[in-house]
Amino acid sequence: MYSDARSLPSSSLQEIRVGGVAQIGFSGIMSGIDKQPVAGRLHVGPEGLAGDRQSESFHGGSEKAVLQYNTDHYAAWASEFPEIVGKFKPGGFGENFAVAGMSEATMCIGDFVRVGTALLQISESRQPCFKLNHRFGHQGISRRAQETGRTGWLYRVIEPGDVVPGDTISVVERPLPAWPVARLQKYLYDITDDLEMAEAISQLPHLSPGLRALFARRVENGKAENWEDRLSNGPLALHPTVWFEAEVAEVRNETTDVKSYRVKRVDGKPLASFSAGAHLDVKVNNGWTRSYSLCHLPREDGYRFAVRRADEGRGGSRHIHENWSLGDRLLVSEPRNHFELSASAQRHLFIAGGIGITPFLSMIEDLENRAEPWELHYLTREMERAPFAADLQVRFPWQVAVHATAGDPSRRVDLKELLSDVPLGTHVYCCGPNSLMTAVRDNTVDWPSGFVHFEAFSTARPKDLANCSSFEVRLAKSDRVLTVPEHSTLLDVLLDAGINVPSSCRGGTCGTCRVTYCEGTVDHQDMFLSREGRRTMMISCVSRGKSNLTLDI
């Protein structure tokens, strides 16, 4: 999944940006992150672009002279944080060079890059800090940038020269084709316990002295760094979910245990638009909130979603199947998307399990409209219980493979084989049972961040919740002790105690409800945190304590 040395990236310099030092909003924090576009020719010297400034010396210097950011990333940011979608545009991350088509997965440490009359060399991956949170007004931006690898990278200046917007920017020499920026990030933030690799990276030629020293200290100390102070300096305000009253306009029986519902606004106002892979929340009559993927693109009259009846569940789907009919009214949220199609993917590989097929219906429709390549593997036990499978096979016989096992383990898909040899630039998307998503995650552990995407079931709860044990959590800042019963989640207990923990998917995939723990052992059941992230954080909607825990709250 790493960069192909036979094809050296080239693109066009969309924007050149420089800026002075100013306060970020009303935070009282000074930063040079607010950079403005420059229309004309600009000189690039050993310390960076003429007129560019940083608030601290460690943010600049000869090894961090120029910051480049992939403008393709902004679509992913907008889909993950729709409440601040207007802030995700070129310049948002304080980049000097805004360029599309070059990413952390395709650019390598040590790459020599010609732009205008200047020659630059990639020295290191940009390390995001809490200033990004203040920049965007959201406490999760810096951490999410680190977790996804959407950070950008920094250059040293080999030959000073002049640049102008529209110049071609090209890799002209690649001394380290085995070291894309994304791979360095993997060992910097995720696989931090591999000290043999840390020793090798500490001697990696062309890497900045600062990062070589960091890996050398890791080897000397036998442990990784604590990033918390860099990633956060305190919570920021969050925006609530927007609800509206809707009416059931259509009900379809898709299989014996799956129904699809189309709902429309009661007040007749236009429905909010959404992108492929989006979901909405619905309020069930008993007060529970359920999330369901939308099965179509916005041009259909209303929102359509499918619900599988789960008699062994908590009762939400059973209530919907037994009680919802034409004309019934319910509360529905505006759509959100934690499962966006990647704008930079060259190919899309979908892996669906059972009712997990639903988000892929709108994705397939979108990709067909755009004539982009895709492939679907649909895993089910019985063909008769696989909603939408027959129609998909008829419409797309060369792109859809339905794997019905009929209970025979030998007929299961070999995920290791499926994922071991995929074309460069492929993004994988998985939605289905926790066991399926865990298997996909285990078989893509060394892929660059951001190339594998997960969506949990709408009725997600920790696995085997009925068989879980209770545990206690101590809140370090107030010394309160709370008990999490067998049938409750940590998130629910915190909210009931008046602790404002933001949440969204409630399925362990979006990371919104993550909390930091200081002591104890966690049973991690999410699909969001990296291996390194799990050392200090847990997703409160699905993960539990194997022992009593102390939270940094």
Side-chain angles (χ1 to χ4, degrees):
M1 285 302 300
Y2 295 122
S3 200
D4 185 352
R6 296 170 296 177
S7 178
L8 298 180
S10 180
S11 189
S12 175
L13 187 56
Q14 291 176 254
E15 291 184 359
I16 301 171
R17 287 177 167 263
V18 299
V21 176
Q23 184 176 178
I24 308 176
F26 300 99
S27 67
I29 299 172
M30 304 301 292
S31 173
I33 196 170
D34 188 16
K35 301 187 185 300
Q36 302 301 314
V38 177
R41 190 168 299 277
L42 206 63
H43 185 70
V44 186
E47 299 295 312
L49 290 160
D52 196 37
R53 299 289 182 269
Q54 290 80 36
S55 58
E56 293 98 355
S57 59
F58 55 81
H59 278 311
S62 60
E63 292 296 312
K64 303 177 181 180
V66 177
L67 171 64
Q68 181 171 325
Y69 199 75
N70 179 16
T71 57
D72 294 335
H73 288 335
Y74 283 109
W77 284 111
S79 69
E80 292 179 10
F81 298 89
E83 66 272 30
I84 51 173
V85 63
K87 297 183 179 182
F88 294 117
K89 52 191 175 183
F93 281 79
E95 63 264 35
N96 299 116
F97 288 171
V99 180
M102 290 177 160
S103 72
E104 293 80 358
T106 61
M107 301 294 284
C108 296
I109 297 297
D111 277 357
F112 289 91
V113 175
R114 176 69 70 180
V115 53
T117 60
L119 181 65
L120 314 178
Q121 185 182 36
I122 295 181
S123 57
E124 67 176 59
S125 167
R126 186 249 198 100
Q127 296 187 63
C129 76
F130 61 79
K131 292 182 180 179
L132 290 175
N133 299 339
H134 293 277
R135 167 73 163 169
F136 292 96
H138 196 293
Q139 64 183 359
I141 300 297
S142 62
R143 192 179 306 280
R144 187 62 177 153
Q146 177 169 298
E147 290 167 343
T148 61
R150 298 194 298 255
T151 64
W153 55 89
L154 292 148
Y155 291 105
R156 62 174 66 93
V157 178
I158 304 300
E159 296 176 4
D162 294 337
V163 295
V164 67
D167 277 344
T168 296
I169 179 168
S170 301
V171 177
V172 296
E173 184 179 346
R174 174 160 285 175
L176 299 174
W179 278 100
V181 174
R183 188 183 182 202
L184 176 73
Q185 291 172 324
K186 202 73 177 177
Y187 289 101
L188 183 59
Y189 302 127
D190 191 8
I191 308 176
T192 60
D193 54 356
D194 189 336
L195 298 184
E196 182 177 350
M197 182 60 75
E199 172 66 23
I201 297 174
S202 73
Q203 301 176 43
L204 191 67
H206 308 295
L207 184 64
S208 69
L211 277 191
R212 291 204 308 270
L214 182 151
F215 281 98
R217 289 194 300 271
R218 186 177 291 181
V219 174
E220 181 180 352
N221 298 332
K223 63 179 181 180
E225 307 72 30
N226 186 331
W227 304 119
E228 287 305 304
D229 288 343
R230 173 170 57 78
L231 293 174
S232 176
N233 71 331
L236 301 174
L238 298 170
H239 298 276
T241 301
V242 177
W243 297 90
F244 64 90
E245 190 176 22
E247 180 178 280
V248 178
E250 185 182 7
V251 181
R252 292 180 185 172
N253 292 314
E254 305 293 350
T255 69
T256 57
D257 61 352
V258 175
K259 292 183 178 182
S260 67
Y261 299 85
R262 180 167 58 88
V263 300
K264 300 171 64 174
R265 289 188 71 117
V266 170
D267 58 17
K269 292 181 180 179
L271 292 167
S273 62
F274 60 91
S275 54
H279 70 275
L280 50 73
D281 295 337
V282 299
K283 288 288 187 183
V284 183
N285 190 49
N286 56 18
W288 291 334
T289 301
R290 296 291 185 269
S291 302
Y292 295 106
S293 297
L294 291 163
C295 301
H296 63 99
L297 290 182
R299 59 176 172 269
E300 183 168 322
D301 183 19
Y303 293 145
R304 182 181 297 280
F305 54 92
V307 181
R308 164 160 276 158
R309 176 169 176 150
D311 290 329
E312 72 282 0
R314 295 174 295 151
S317 64
R318 185 169 61 251
H319 176 90
I320 291 173
H321 271 238
E322 293 176 354
N323 295 280
W324 282 12
S325 58
L326 291 178
D328 284 350
R329 294 190 174 188
L330 58 145
L331 286 177
V332 176
S333 76
E334 292 187 349
R336 300 190 300 278
N337 202 336
H338 305 303
F339 202 42
E340 188 88 10
L341 285 168
S342 171
S344 59
Q346 298 176 23
R347 181 173 172 272
H348 307 266
L349 174 60
F350 303 139
I351 302 175
I355 194 64
I357 187 63
T358 51
F360 298 126
L361 300 177
S362 61
M363 290 180 167
I364 289 170
E365 188 178 349
D366 190 18
L367 293 175
E368 283 293 298
N369 291 339
R370 293 189 273 144
E372 291 189 21
W374 60 272
E375 176 184 345
L376 168 67
H377 290 265
Y378 189 172
L379 285 58
T380 184
R381 181 182 177 89
E382 300 168 356
M383 187 67 180
E384 296 75 16
R385 296 192 64 206
F388 314 107
D391 178 61
L392 288 169
Q393 283 186 310
V394 170
R395 294 174 61 198
F396 311 108
W398 304 109
Q399 294 153 284
V400 173
V402 179
H403 308 272
T405 65
D408 183 355
S410 66
R411 299 173 65 178
R412 292 176 180 169
V413 174
D414 187 339
L415 291 174
K416 182 177 182 180
E417 180 180 352
L418 177 65
L419 296 166
S420 63
D421 187 25
V422 298
L424 188 71
T426 297
H427 280 237
V428 170
Y429 309 78
C430 179
C431 182
N434 188 71
S435 57
L436 172 62
M437 294 195 292
T438 299
V440 170
R441 177 170 182 156
D442 290 346
N443 282 284
T444 56
V445 66
D446 62 345
W447 285 34
S449 296
F451 274 66
V452 186
H453 315 267
F454 296 98
E455 178 81 313
F457 276 134
S458 57
T459 55
R461 280 294 208 205
K463 58 185 179 183
D464 300 324
L465 185 61
N467 298 319
C468 289
S469 299
S470 64
F471 63 98
E472 290 184 348
V473 292
R474 184 177 71 86
L475 310 183
K477 295 180 179 178
S478 63
D479 207 33
R480 293 175 64 186
V481 176
L482 305 175
T483 298
V484 182
E486 295 90 336
H487 302 286
S488 298
T489 66
L490 172 58
L491 174 61
D492 290 335
V493 169
L494 292 173
L495 293 175
D496 288 345
I499 299 163
N500 186 24
V501 178
S503 64
S504 183
C505 76
R506 286 185 173 255
T509 59
C510 74
T512 305
C513 67
R514 59 182 172 268
V515 294
T516 301
Y517 66 95
C518 314
E519 297 177 357
T521 304
V522 174
D523 178 13
H524 294 284
Q525 298 180 22
D526 66 280
M527 290 292 135
F528 179 84
L529 292 173
S530 65
R531 182 163 60 172
E532 176 62 22
R534 289 183 172 189
R535 298 178 191 276
T536 57
M537 290 178 290
M538 64 184 294
I539 303 302
S540 61
C541 68
V542 293
S543 297
R544 301 182 66 81
K546 291 183 178 179
S547 66
N548 293 336
L549 305 175
T550 299
L551 305 182
D552 187 20
I553 295 176

